[in-house]
Structure formats: structure tokens, C-alpha cells
Amino acid sequence: MSDDTTEYQRPPAEVRFAAELDRLREDDTAPRPPGWALSLTAARRFVVGDEALGVRRKFVGDTALIDRALVTLATSRGLMLVGEPGTAKSLLSELIAAAVSGTSTLTIQGGAATTEDQIKYSWNYALLVAEGPSTRSLVPAPLLTGMAEGKAVRFEEITRCPLEVQDSLLSPLSDRVLAVPELTGADAMVFARDGFNVIATANTRDRGVNEMSAALKRRFNFETVFPIADFGTELELVEQEAVRLLEHSGVQAPPRRDVLEVLVTTFRELRDATTEDGRSMDRLSAVMSTAEAVAVAHQIGVRGWFLRGEPGGAADIVECLAGTAAKDSPDDLARLRRYLEQQAARRDGEQWRALHAARHLLPG
């Protein structure tokens, strides 16, 4: 990858945080598991932060989860991160892979169309026809590369793949070997080097669509990533990420804190179906995650700056929430309308009053 990443929308973690990884490697005197780029303690500091070394916190959540995840990867068990959509499972897998292996780009994106070729290997068919099966005509996919080089492989949304595709991981995870039956001799078997392991993710809304086999489950340790429980922590994260995204988008006005407070409160109440004072309300079927809140905060800032030259306000919240609420069910727009009519009207503050007044902007 080129060093000039200024125009990349989102460089991988090992590029974005290269300076931090360098400082951690220089300061790392703890024992490392075989094949790891950092020790467990240094990898943990990369994820949760270390003020003394100028390493910022990148994942907001249970730090004990990070310890358990790293210990799992240091054994022969794969790591499975499960949770609601938008709880930063993919971000966590990327950060851990960057810390453990120095690269996070050996990634398989699960889906209905994912095939074993995309997981293990395929062929350069021009060379295959001309020369027959050989290492020259073999095109390695992330799993083969990770095993041959001793790197962590990320498998995103594994339960979106058909069961028979998921089970292609059984032998690599149990026997630590991948057979290439088209080749002969030593080339027909790829044995995993130290450092290889698999980090998979699955969101709880997809579980049951392509349920994992019991055999594959036994080869993973499962860790659940929960939504952020504390309001202040979630608000700080949304503000931090929104500022970063807005700067990258060329927006010169930072988001207003009072607007973000209304946004995060709205997301939390719609997600939990309970108001701050304990009143029950309708739950939206759409995902009202922290990641969605960041995306909406980004949209609010872009709308305000490029359309009016200001940071964006409550009316923009309504406009942007409509696109979030309408994803899964048309009934969600009606639920959102009731929230704006009933709950926003009870709140004090300029932005809450503006949010209530802007309810007519919802479509339908």
C-alpha cells in the first residue's frame, strides 16, 4: 500500500495508527505469543489507549472483553464477536488484527454470494490451462495467505454465509492445515504458521438465518459486544467521531454539543423503548446503534454546512432520522412521529422545542 493515504476515505488501522504501533513496539518488553507483532499487554494498550505513550482509546467498551479476546487468539481457539448491529464488532476485529499481526486487510466479507474460492484460494485460469495446476497459477485468498504467513484473518458477518461455506473453516481451525488437492507433493498441504487465527463477527439479528454448525461453534470462543451503557460515554464517542468525519468532509463548523445531546438521547430512548424518566414507548425495528448515531451526526453537519454555512440543528436531526428509521419497516416512521409529538414536546431546551416543531418534516 502506498504511503500517500491522504485521499483514502478510510485507510486500515495499521496505516491510520502507524505511529502509535511503532511507539508500542519500541516500548514493548513483555513476552509475545509466537508469531505476534506485539505482546498481549501492548496489544491491549493499542485498543484501550495509553496516555503516557500518546496512544488514544479506540474502542469504548468493557476492557475485560479485550483481555479475553486477546487470550483466546493466543490459543488455538478462534474468536467470535457477536452483538447487535453497530456495536463496533468490525472495528474491534480490525484493531485486534492490526495489533496482533500488523495487518488487518486479510478480510473475508460474508454474504449469501460468498464462495469457498473467496475464502481459501482460486486459480489464474489462463495459467491453469497453459501450465496445469501449480503454485504459479494458484491465487491465494485471505485464509490461505493468513495460514502461510502466520497472520490473523477476519471473517465479517460469518452467519450471512451458507452453512457449507462456513464449514470450510473446520479443518484450518482444528487441524491447522488447508488442503490444496489440485497440487502434488509438499505444495498440496498448507500448514498454519505461528500467529494464524480467525476473528469472526456475527450480528444477533442475523443469527438463525444461517446458524453455525455445532462443530464450527466448538472451534470458537464467543464474546458478546454490548451497546454503550453510559450516556456521557456514548455522547463523547459520537462527538469525537462526528468531528473526525466532518473534518474529512471539508466541514469547517464543529457539531453543536446541544444538538448532539438531543441526538444521542433520541437514539438511546428509541433503542431502549424507554424514556429517561422511565416511561415506556414504542421500540423501532430499525437499528438505533451508536454507529448509526455517528452517521446521522455526520449528515447533520454536512447538511448544515454545505446547504446553509452553519453546523446544523434540530430540523436536520428530523430530516436525517427519517432515512434511518425507514430502513426496516414503514411503521417505524409512525413510531418516530409519535416520539417527536409526545416525548420531544415534554422536554425543556431550545433544541428539543425545535425538534418537536420540525416533526412535520417527516415524510408521509
Side-chain angles (χ1 to χ4, degrees), residues 270-294:
L270 291 172
R271 180 169 68 222
D272 299 335
T274 307
T275 63
E276 286 181 325
D277 54 5
R279 287 193 296 269
S280 297
M281 48 178 283
D282 293 331
R283 185 191 302 274
L284 267 66
S285 59
V287 176
M288 305 301 288
S289 64
T290 304
E292 285 283 354
V294 170

mmCIF file of all heavy atoms in Angstrom, residues 270-294:
data_model
loop_
_atom_site.group_PDB
_atom_site.id
_atom_site.type_symbol
_atom_site.label_atom_id
_atom_site.label_comp_id
_atom_site.label_asym_id
_atom_site.label_seq_id
_atom_site.Cartn_x
_atom_site.Cartn_y
_atom_site.Cartn_z
ATOM 1 N N LEU A 270 -35.120 5.574 21.710
ATOM 2 C CA LEU A 270 -35.731 4.751 20.664
ATOM 3 C C LEU A 270 -35.152 3.332 20.663
ATOM 4 O O LEU A 270 -35.838 2.371 20.322
ATOM 5 C CB LEU A 270 -35.526 5.403 19.301
ATOM 6 C CG LEU A 270 -36.301 6.700 19.057
ATOM 7 C CD1 LEU A 270 -35.858 7.347 17.755
ATOM 8 C CD2 LEU A 270 -37.804 6.447 19.044
ATOM 9 N N ARG A 271 -33.882 3.202 21.028
ATOM 10 C CA ARG A 271 -33.238 1.882 21.084
ATOM 11 C C ARG A 271 -33.763 1.065 22.266
ATOM 12 O O ARG A 271 -34.001 -0.134 22.147
ATOM 13 C CB ARG A 271 -31.727 2.070 21.194
ATOM 14 C CG ARG A 271 -30.924 0.786 21.270
ATOM 15 C CD ARG A 271 -29.444 1.090 21.100
ATOM 16 N NE ARG A 271 -28.874 1.824 22.199
ATOM 17 C CZ ARG A 271 -28.018 2.845 22.066
ATOM 18 N NH1 ARG A 271 -27.670 3.270 20.867
ATOM 19 N NH2 ARG A 271 -27.532 3.454 23.123
ATOM 20 N N ASP A 272 -33.928 1.727 23.429
ATOM 21 C CA ASP A 272 -34.325 1.015 24.652
ATOM 22 C C ASP A 272 -35.829 0.982 24.865
ATOM 23 O O ASP A 272 -36.308 0.277 25.769
ATOM 24 C CB ASP A 272 -33.669 1.676 25.869
ATOM 25 C CG ASP A 272 -32.146 1.639 25.806
ATOM 26 O OD1 ASP A 272 -31.613 0.732 25.134
ATOM 27 O OD2 ASP A 272 -31.502 2.512 26.418
ATOM 28 N N ALA A 273 -36.588 1.770 24.058
ATOM 29 C CA ALA A 273 -38.050 1.864 24.208
ATOM 30 C C ALA A 273 -38.441 2.373 25.585
ATOM 31 O O ALA A 273 -39.503 2.020 26.119
ATOM 32 C CB ALA A 273 -38.719 0.519 23.921
ATOM 33 N N THR A 274 -37.570 3.192 26.185
ATOM 34 C CA THR A 274 -37.830 3.771 27.499
ATOM 35 C C THR A 274 -37.247 5.178 27.541
ATOM 36 O O THR A 274 -36.123 5.396 27.088
ATOM 37 C CB THR A 274 -37.183 2.929 28.618
ATOM 38 O OG1 THR A 274 -37.598 1.571 28.494
ATOM 39 C CG2 THR A 274 -37.566 3.451 29.995
ATOM 40 N N THR A 275 -38.006 6.119 28.092
ATOM 41 C CA THR A 275 -37.505 7.485 28.211
ATOM 42 C C THR A 275 -36.588 7.611 29.435
ATOM 43 O O THR A 275 -36.511 6.686 30.261
ATOM 44 C CB THR A 275 -38.661 8.483 28.339
ATOM 45 O OG1 THR A 275 -39.389 8.202 29.546
ATOM 46 C CG2 THR A 275 -39.606 8.369 27.151
ATOM 47 N N GLU A 276 -35.940 8.765 29.543
ATOM 48 C CA GLU A 276 -35.026 8.990 30.672
ATOM 49 C C GLU A 276 -35.733 8.890 32.017
ATOM 50 O O GLU A 276 -35.133 8.490 33.013
ATOM 51 C CB GLU A 276 -34.374 10.370 30.540
ATOM 52 C CG GLU A 276 -33.307 10.451 29.461
ATOM 53 C CD GLU A 276 -32.685 11.823 29.390
ATOM 54 O OE1 GLU A 276 -33.414 12.825 29.625
ATOM 55 O OE2 GLU A 276 -31.484 11.918 29.090
ATOM 56 N N ASP A 277 -37.027 9.275 32.066
ATOM 57 C CA ASP A 277 -37.768 9.231 33.332
ATOM 58 C C ASP A 277 -38.558 7.935 33.509
ATOM 59 O O ASP A 277 -39.441 7.842 34.361
ATOM 60 C CB ASP A 277 -38.696 10.439 33.463
ATOM 61 C CG ASP A 277 -39.627 10.598 32.266
ATOM 62 O OD1 ASP A 277 -39.608 9.702 31.397
ATOM 63 O OD2 ASP A 277 -40.352 11.600 32.203
ATOM 64 N N GLY A 278 -38.273 6.919 32.663
ATOM 65 C CA GLY A 278 -38.826 5.585 32.878
ATOM 66 C C GLY A 278 -40.122 5.283 32.174
ATOM 67 O O GLY A 278 -40.685 4.194 32.373
ATOM 68 N N ARG A 279 -40.618 6.187 31.308
ATOM 69 C CA ARG A 279 -41.861 5.901 30.593
ATOM 70 C C ARG A 279 -41.589 4.962 29.422
ATOM 71 O O ARG A 279 -40.619 5.135 28.688
ATOM 72 C CB ARG A 279 -42.496 7.202 30.083
ATOM 73 C CG ARG A 279 -43.133 8.048 31.163
ATOM 74 C CD ARG A 279 -44.009 9.132 30.536
ATOM 75 N NE ARG A 279 -43.214 10.060 29.757
ATOM 76 C CZ ARG A 279 -42.684 11.178 30.235
ATOM 77 N NH1 ARG A 279 -42.862 11.494 31.498
ATOM 78 N NH2 ARG A 279 -41.979 11.973 29.456
ATOM 79 N N SER A 280 -42.494 3.991 29.251
ATOM 80 C CA SER A 280 -42.359 3.062 28.129
ATOM 81 C C SER A 280 -42.842 3.720 26.845
ATOM 82 O O SER A 280 -43.712 4.595 26.867
ATOM 83 C CB SER A 280 -43.172 1.783 28.387
ATOM 84 O OG SER A 280 -42.688 1.106 29.516
ATOM 85 N N MET A 281 -42.277 3.290 25.731
ATOM 86 C CA MET A 281 -42.640 3.841 24.432
ATOM 87 C C MET A 281 -42.412 2.775 23.374
ATOM 88 O O MET A 281 -41.932 1.679 23.665
ATOM 89 C CB MET A 281 -41.826 5.102 24.124
ATOM 90 C CG MET A 281 -40.338 4.947 24.358
ATOM 91 S SD MET A 281 -39.395 6.401 23.944
ATOM 92 C CE MET A 281 -39.372 6.276 22.167
ATOM 93 N N ASP A 282 -42.778 3.098 22.132
ATOM 94 C CA ASP A 282 -42.608 2.148 21.037
ATOM 95 C C ASP A 282 -41.124 1.963 20.709
ATOM 96 O O ASP A 282 -40.354 2.928 20.663
ATOM 97 C CB ASP A 282 -43.323 2.648 19.778
ATOM 98 C CG ASP A 282 -44.835 2.670 19.954
ATOM 99 O OD1 ASP A 282 -45.335 1.842 20.728
ATOM 100 O OD2 ASP A 282 -45.486 3.516 19.321
ATOM 101 N N ARG A 283 -40.745 0.701 20.466
ATOM 102 C CA ARG A 283 -39.389 0.396 20.031
ATOM 103 C C ARG A 283 -39.354 0.322 18.505
ATOM 104 O O ARG A 283 -40.206 -0.315 17.889
ATOM 105 C CB ARG A 283 -38.921 -0.936 20.615
ATOM 106 C CG ARG A 283 -37.461 -1.275 20.302
ATOM 107 C CD ARG A 283 -37.160 -2.714 20.688
ATOM 108 N NE ARG A 283 -37.414 -2.956 22.087
ATOM 109 C CZ ARG A 283 -36.534 -2.729 23.059
ATOM 110 N NH1 ARG A 283 -35.335 -2.235 22.766
ATOM 111 N NH2 ARG A 283 -36.842 -2.981 24.321
ATOM 112 N N LEU A 284 -38.369 0.959 17.919
ATOM 113 C CA LEU A 284 -38.209 0.888 16.470
ATOM 114 C C LEU A 284 -37.585 -0.445 16.089
ATOM 115 O O LEU A 284 -36.751 -0.992 16.819
ATOM 116 C CB LEU A 284 -37.315 2.032 15.971
ATOM 117 C CG LEU A 284 -38.040 3.314 15.525
ATOM 118 C CD1 LEU A 284 -38.729 3.978 16.707
ATOM 119 C CD2 LEU A 284 -37.038 4.282 14.891
ATOM 120 N N SER A 285 -38.006 -0.994 14.947
ATOM 121 C CA SER A 285 -37.377 -2.215 14.458
ATOM 122 C C SER A 285 -36.038 -1.910 13.803
ATOM 123 O O SER A 285 -35.194 -2.798 13.675
ATOM 124 C CB SER A 285 -38.301 -2.923 13.462
ATOM 125 O OG SER A 285 -38.608 -2.077 12.369
ATOM 126 N N ALA A 286 -35.820 -0.661 13.382
ATOM 127 C CA ALA A 286 -34.542 -0.262 12.792
ATOM 128 C C ALA A 286 -33.447 -0.263 13.855
ATOM 129 O O ALA A 286 -33.718 -0.126 15.053
ATOM 130 C CB ALA A 286 -34.655 1.127 12.165
ATOM 131 N N VAL A 287 -32.215 -0.417 13.408
ATOM 132 C CA VAL A 287 -31.068 -0.429 14.314
ATOM 133 C C VAL A 287 -30.741 1.005 14.720
ATOM 134 O O VAL A 287 -30.378 1.834 13.885
ATOM 135 C CB VAL A 287 -29.845 -1.071 13.629
ATOM 136 C CG1 VAL A 287 -28.628 -0.979 14.538
ATOM 137 C CG2 VAL A 287 -30.148 -2.514 13.273
ATOM 138 N N MET A 288 -30.882 1.322 15.994
ATOM 139 C CA MET A 288 -30.569 2.657 16.505
ATOM 140 C C MET A 288 -29.270 2.576 17.323
ATOM 141 O O MET A 288 -29.240 2.809 18.527
ATOM 142 C CB MET A 288 -31.731 3.187 17.354
ATOM 143 C CG MET A 288 -33.065 3.204 16.644
ATOM 144 S SD MET A 288 -33.063 4.219 15.146
ATOM 145 C CE MET A 288 -33.003 5.854 15.836
ATOM 146 N N SER A 289 -28.212 2.236 16.651
ATOM 147 C CA SER A 289 -26.934 1.975 17.309
ATOM 148 C C SER A 289 -26.103 3.246 17.403
ATOM 149 O O SER A 289 -26.415 4.282 16.799
ATOM 150 C CB SER A 289 -26.150 0.918 16.526
ATOM 151 O OG SER A 289 -25.819 1.423 15.238
ATOM 152 N N THR A 290 -25.004 3.147 18.144
ATOM 153 C CA THR A 290 -24.070 4.267 18.237
ATOM 154 C C THR A 290 -23.473 4.577 16.879
ATOM 155 O O THR A 290 -23.273 5.750 16.530
ATOM 156 C CB THR A 290 -22.949 3.932 19.242
ATOM 157 O OG1 THR A 290 -23.515 3.592 20.502
ATOM 158 C CG2 THR A 290 -22.008 5.115 19.425
ATOM 159 N N ALA A 291 -23.195 3.549 16.087
ATOM 160 C CA ALA A 291 -22.654 3.775 14.745
ATOM 161 C C ALA A 291 -23.643 4.556 13.877
ATOM 162 O O ALA A 291 -23.254 5.444 13.107
ATOM 163 C CB ALA A 291 -22.310 2.441 14.086
ATOM 164 N N GLU A 292 -24.939 4.245 13.999
ATOM 165 C CA GLU A 292 -25.956 4.997 13.260
ATOM 166 C C GLU A 292 -26.028 6.436 13.764
ATOM 167 O O GLU A 292 -26.226 7.372 12.983
ATOM 168 C CB GLU A 292 -27.318 4.322 13.400
ATOM 169 C CG GLU A 292 -27.485 3.061 12.579
ATOM 170 C CD GLU A 292 -27.725 3.364 11.103
ATOM 171 O OE1 GLU A 292 -27.868 4.538 10.741
ATOM 172 O OE2 GLU A 292 -27.768 2.400 10.321
ATOM 173 N N ALA A 293 -25.882 6.634 15.068
ATOM 174 C CA ALA A 293 -25.898 7.988 15.628
ATOM 175 C C ALA A 293 -24.736 8.815 15.073
ATOM 176 O O ALA A 293 -24.891 10.005 14.764
ATOM 177 C CB ALA A 293 -25.833 7.932 17.151
ATOM 178 N N VAL A 294 -23.569 8.201 14.942
ATOM 179 C CA VAL A 294 -22.421 8.892 14.350
ATOM 180 C C VAL A 294 -22.724 9.267 12.905
ATOM 181 O O VAL A 294 -22.425 10.392 12.454
ATOM 182 C CB VAL A 294 -21.157 8.009 14.432
ATOM 183 C CG1 VAL A 294 -20.014 8.610 13.615
ATOM 184 C CG2 VAL A 294 -20.727 7.822 15.883
#
